[in-house]
Amino acid sequence: MHAQTPRDVPTTEVSTFGAPPGGRRNLRAADWLYRSKAASVIWLIARLWLGYSWLNAGYQKLWGSEKAVFWNGGGAGVKGFATAGVAGSKAGKGGASYGWFAAFLHNFVIPNASWIAKVVTISELLIGAALILGLFTGLAAIAGLILNVIYMFSGSAGVNPAYAIVAVFLILAWRNAGYLGLDRLVLPMIGSRFRPGPRTVTPATSPPTAPTPTPTPTPAPAS
């Protein structure tokens, strides 16, 4: 007797965004978070929360309560922030934890605080708007994470660790995180522009055949 393999093996069908079509496979947490349409609602909430936080931070620097020390203050806010990081590093109480970063704050950030303050303001506005709209979500989350790391290296914790954690997850789920946003339309358009088109194969042509010579009739001998 031959052992028969059971035909009806219970499987879990997963309908996922970006998964191979027509497949049945076991549900896994990573697949669900990073590919399923249901999880895109969770990423939408995370995007809106983080995006609003960045947008509000930039708004306060451009039009709100921090305008006087950022946009119109000659970078006084950035200069004070960097100066505190350097002072804390020298005193060993907070501030920049690494000497090389304290030197960066002292030699580069403080002398250029005026234009750096404007760059920070515009960056926070753009990051917030992109996250809310779901446009280039992964890139926006990376830019936000870079700012968070800079702030934390300077000795400022505050909300930065929480922002950084959410940003890391948005980067990992960048495709699904922007599914309920403009990325759903923009990313396929960009991908189609860089995707190589179908190759046109020209059929090989055979060389022309030489005409077959017509045999010349041999005259019959005279009798």
Side-chain angles (χ1 to χ4, degrees):
M1 293 180 63
H2 296 282
Q4 296 183 353
T5 303
R7 297 181 179 179
D8 299 329
V9 178
T11 58
T12 303
E13 184 173 359
V14 182
S15 176
T16 58
F17 170 58
R24 286 175 173 264
R25 59 182 179 179
N26 294 329
L27 178 65
R28 294 194 298 179
D31 288 338
W32 187 83
L33 279 174
Y34 300 146
R35 294 182 178 180
S36 70
K37 296 179 181 179
S40 63
V41 179
I42 299 175
W43 299 122
L44 172 64
I45 297 173
R47 263 181 34 225
L48 293 177
W49 174 77
L50 187 59
Y52 171 79
S53 300
W54 279 118
L55 191 67
N56 182 62
Y59 172 86
Q60 297 300 329
K61 292 176 176 63
L62 183 58
W63 294 294
S65 59
E66 300 178 15
K67 177 181 178 180
V69 293
F70 273 88
W71 195 259
N72 292 341
V78 170
K79 186 175 182 179
F81 178 80
T83 302
V86 174
S89 176
K90 293 180 178 179
K93 298 179 180 179
S97 299
Y98 298 95
W100 60 268
F101 198 81
F104 167 75
L105 293 176
H106 179 73
N107 297 323
F108 180 78
V109 176
I110 294 176
N112 300 285
S114 180
W115 66 265
I116 290 178
K118 290 180 170 57
V119 171
V120 169
T121 301
I122 298 299
S123 299
E124 291 181 349
L125 287 171
L126 292 178
I127 292 169
L131 289 174
I132 291 174
L133 296 175
L135 178 63
F136 302 121
T137 303
L139 294 178
I142 290 174
L145 180 61
I146 291 173
L147 287 180
N148 291 139
V149 171
I150 291 174
Y151 298 157
M152 287 188 286
F153 265 109
S154 301
S156 174
V159 297
N160 290 294
Y163 288 5
I165 291 172
V166 176
V168 168
F169 280 106
L170 288 176
I171 293 169
L172 294 175
W174 65 274
R175 187 184 299 272
N176 201 25
Y179 180 71
L180 296 179
L182 294 181
D183 280 347
R184 185 178 180 180
L185 303 175
V186 174
L187 293 184
M189 293 173 58
I190 296 177
S192 63
R193 292 180 64 89
F194 291 96
R195 188 179 301 116
R199 298 178 58 186
T200 303
V201 180
T202 304
T205 57
S206 58
T209 305
T212 305
T214 304
T216 304
T218 305
S223 57

